[in-house]
Amino acid sequence: MSRTQPPVPVVIIGAGPVGVTAALLLARRGIPTVLLERHQDVYPLPRAVAADDEVRRILQAAGVGEEFAAIARPANGLRLLDARHRVLAEFRRTGHGPHGYPRISMFDQPELERLLRDALARTPQCDLRGGVEVTGVTPDATGPVGVTYRDADGEHHLRAEAVLGCDGANSLTRDAIGAVWEDLRFEESWTVVDVRTNADVRCWEGVDQVCDPHRPATFMRVGEDRYRWEFRLGDGDEPVRELIAPWLPPSHAGDVEVVRETQYTFKARLADRWRSGRVFLLGDAAHLTPPFIGQGLCSGLRDAANLTWKLARVLGQGGDEQLLDTYESERKPHARHVIRLAVAMGWAMTGGQDGAAPLRRRLLTAACRIPGLTALAGRDLSPPLPAGPLVRRRLRGGLAGTHCPQPWITAAGRRTRLDDLLGDSFTLLTATEPGPSLNALAHALGVRAIPVSDLGDDGTLAAWLHQGQAEAVLLRPDRVVLDIVPAGGRDFTDTATWAALLHTTRSPLPPRRAAEPSLLRSTTR
């Protein structure tokens, strides 16, 4: 039976972590969504296991930061080992990063998906429809997007103002917009083994990459008694116990429970286009990253954080359609950067499979001995966004395009994180009391200009502004610096360029935001 339903603002195809996070971020900005998912429940087996501090900040924005903290395990970073498990290089990422969280956290993906689904169930703006098969997406440059799906009751038709394709590597949405893969030249078959054991496993509480061209491997501790190994497939199939034996005590004869053993083909690919009209690709539908630097899921969540505030601005606040063009132009270069890093790590591990492999291994060993190189390579994986309409970069190395750090601050006598205070919209942070022009701009945006001296942090924000030679910064809702007032200045010098996209003078923020008496409010939501 065919049924046509009333139009909806946004349809999200795929209710994995990327799709659900996108729905939660849109809901916090007042945009309802319908999520279409082929599975009835969370996929029960582990897949992604690592998140960096920026991704944890995104989960905080989605409203699940504290819940995720309860299931996450901080890690030390990454080591490269030779075939005899001797350390070639160590890329430490310990302590808290600028986003206010451990630089690397390990987790179990089914647990993450469960807490995201629980948050979704508490959010009335989100309608999850499981056990359905999406059969068609019809982009339309002039009107709503058509989506057709089938369930036990028959065929249904939806019309949506926008569609987000979070439907994975075999994305129907990608096919619908005519996007094709760009091959970034890495494809290998690996076996992935997830194990639960109480054995005294040899572990440094970080990720080990074994650079052995005959049996390259990855190893990490995921939880209290959970471990993951990944091995490139060889000529023969060795039993799991033999593969993981180098990490177990020689005398261990106890149980080793194999939670999952499966084969994957690791690929490096990038869709040539991420958008057609109001249809967008996110996550594995847009890019495939080998897992060697733990950025596959992270890249998808960055997609959601970048796109959702822009889409909400266009759908709910009169933002210009060209605002949506910046999604691909900002995210695609970063996705390419991450894929290339992962491919480079993969080649470092395997040494390649040609006559030049021994030379590459010798060069890797020599490079890892260069003072300071490993510290440089272990830095944050998010370079500044490229210059564009929403990144007004003037100085090389300036703050525009970078993220504002997130220290703990004090508001209304309570200690809280900066983002919980600032909410979901734009923010003006100033080094001193703002003048009339900055207050006027803040009023047009529907936010306050906040001197960092009022925030009761540990001096992090004042030092950040000083180092960036900025009197004030305009933060986007994703906490990226859009523009700065340079040191000694009083005003932004290029307001017209981005204000036209935001429609700040004729599209006020929703009444709920205008009704708030102050940004200095409780973090209870």
Side-chain angles (χ1 to χ4, degrees):
M1 180 178 183
S2 179
R3 300 178 182 178
T4 299
Q5 302 178 20
V8 297
V10 178
V11 167
I12 298 176
I13 302 175
V18 176
V20 176
T21 299
L24 293 172
L25 292 171
L26 286 168
R28 290 168 77 87
R29 297 182 172 96
I31 304 298
T33 56
V34 172
L35 295 94
L36 304 177
E37 167 59 44
R38 60 177 177 158
H39 298 294
Q40 285 285 6
D41 201 359
V42 167
Y43 186 74
L45 296 178
R47 288 167 290 172
V49 293
D52 58 29
D53 57 321
E54 181 186 345
V55 165
R56 290 198 59 172
R57 192 175 187 177
I58 293 170
L59 294 174
Q60 175 192 343
V64 296
E66 294 302 318
E67 292 93 335
F68 184 76
I71 67 170
R73 184 184 187 91
N76 284 334
L78 170 70
R79 296 191 309 186
L80 301 184
L81 310 180
D82 67 11
R84 295 170 60 185
H85 290 201
R86 296 173 300 187
V87 177
L88 293 172
E90 188 173 289
F91 307 100
R92 281 199 170 264
R93 290 175 63 86
T94 55
H96 281 56
H99 299 281
Y101 292 98
R103 291 181 180 272
I104 297 181
S105 299
M106 311 305 293
F107 66 94
D108 181 42
Q109 183 169 334
E111 291 184 339
L112 169 62
E113 292 202 41
R114 174 57 58 201
L115 67 87
L116 286 169
R117 288 283 187 97
D118 289 346
L120 200 70
R122 299 191 301 265
T123 307
Q125 298 96 328
C126 302
D127 177 9
L128 173 61
R129 304 178 188 180
V132 309
E133 178 190 3
V134 177
T135 56
V137 177
T138 309
D140 191 327
T142 60
V145 182
V147 178
T148 305
Y149 70 94
R150 185 183 300 117
D151 63 12
D153 295 328
E155 189 173 74
H156 307 264
H157 300 281
L158 290 174
R159 289 178 297 150
E161 293 299 315
V163 170
L164 309 188
C166 306
D167 46 347
N170 299 316
S171 170
L172 177 146
T173 314
R174 187 178 60 250
D175 293 340
I177 69 171
V180 296
W181 285 126
E182 175 188 353
D183 189 348
L184 298 182
R185 305 179 70 121
F186 187 92
E187 185 168 333
E188 291 187 347
S189 295
W190 287 58
T191 185
V192 178
V193 182
D194 286 277
V195 163
R196 180 175 283 112
T197 179
N198 291 319
D200 186 18
V201 178
R202 182 166 55 83
C203 176
W204 82 300
E205 299 297 341
V207 179
D208 280 340
Q209 307 279 25
V210 181
C211 302
D212 178 0
H214 303 292
R215 178 66 81 184
T218 302
F219 165 69
M220 66 206 76
R221 185 176 188 173
V222 179
E224 189 64 30
D225 61 349
R226 282 277 318 285
Y227 302 87
R228 169 172 292 185
W229 283 267
E230 298 167 356
F231 301 94
R232 192 179 69 193
L233 292 178
D235 296 331
D237 296 326
E238 297 182 45
V240 167
R241 189 61 178 258
E242 293 184 17
L243 287 172
I244 68 176
W247 286 269
L248 297 176
S251 60
H252 180 71
D255 292 337
V256 174
E257 178 191 353
V258 178
V259 178
R260 180 187 68 151
E261 180 184 4
T262 190
Q263 294 182 5
Y264 280 105
T265 300
F266 296 156
K267 299 178 181 179
R269 292 182 176 178
L270 195 66
D272 66 336
R273 57 188 302 198
W274 293 21
R275 177 193 179 196
S276 176
R278 291 277 187 85
V279 181
F280 303 87
L281 303 180
L282 294 82
D284 285 355
H287 41 76
L288 296 177
T289 308
F292 306 121
I293 57 174
Q295 286 290 302
L297 177 59
C298 294
S299 291
L301 295 182
R302 287 185 174 97
D303 295 343
N306 186 286
L307 176 60
T308 50
W309 76 263
K310 298 170 183 177
L311 186 59
R313 189 93 192 176
V314 171
L315 295 181
Q317 300 171 239
D320 192 285
E321 191 78 13
Q322 293 181 35
L323 192 63
L324 303 176
D325 294 336
T326 65
Y327 165 59
E328 181 175 341
S329 65
E330 290 184 351
R331 283 294 307 136
K332 192 173 183 179
H334 179 260
R336 185 184 296 275
H337 169 76
V338 167
I339 294 171
R340 284 175 170 168
L341 285 177
V343 168
M345 185 63 70
W347 281 109
M349 290 172 61
T350 65
Q353 301 175 46
D354 55 29
L359 174 61
R360 280 196 293 271
R361 290 195 297 276
R362 289 196 295 271
L363 290 174
L364 170 67
T365 302
C368 289
R369 296 195 184 104
I370 298 174
L373 181 62
T374 55
L376 181 66
R379 287 191 342 190
D380 187 57
L381 292 172
S382 286
L385 293 182
L390 298 177
V391 175
R392 312 309 299 167
R393 183 174 297 127
R394 297 172 182 81
L395 299 174
R396 186 174 182 178
L399 297 182
T402 68
H403 281 88
C404 171
Q406 181 180 212
W408 286 91
I409 56 103
T410 301
R414 295 182 58 184
R415 190 168 180 262
T416 188
R417 295 183 184 273
L418 176 67
D419 290 359
D420 288 333
L421 173 78
L422 301 184
D424 304 314
S425 189
F426 288 83
T427 300
L428 269 170
L429 292 182
T430 63
T432 59
E433 288 294 328
S437 60
L438 287 184
N439 278 324
L441 177 62
H443 178 74
L445 285 167
V447 300
R448 284 183 55 191
I450 307 175
V452 295
S453 58
D454 289 354
L455 293 175
D457 70 337
D458 58 0
T460 296
L461 295 172
W464 174 68
L465 290 174
H466 177 75
Q467 185 177 6
Q469 303 179 50
E471 291 290 331
V473 294
L474 177 62
L475 302 182
R476 307 177 345 176
D478 56 4
R479 305 303 179 235
V480 170
V481 177
L482 190 159
D483 204 351
I484 74 165
V485 176
R490 296 185 177 181
D491 302 303
F492 295 100
T493 58
D494 200 17
T495 308
T497 301
W498 45 262
L501 291 180
L502 302 177
H503 284 193
T504 56
T505 59
R506 58 190 181 89
S507 296
L509 294 171
R512 65 179 180 87
R513 181 74 57 187
E516 291 170 355
S518 169
L519 285 174
L520 302 177
R521 62 185 186 278
S522 168
T523 60
T524 303
R525 295 174 184 263

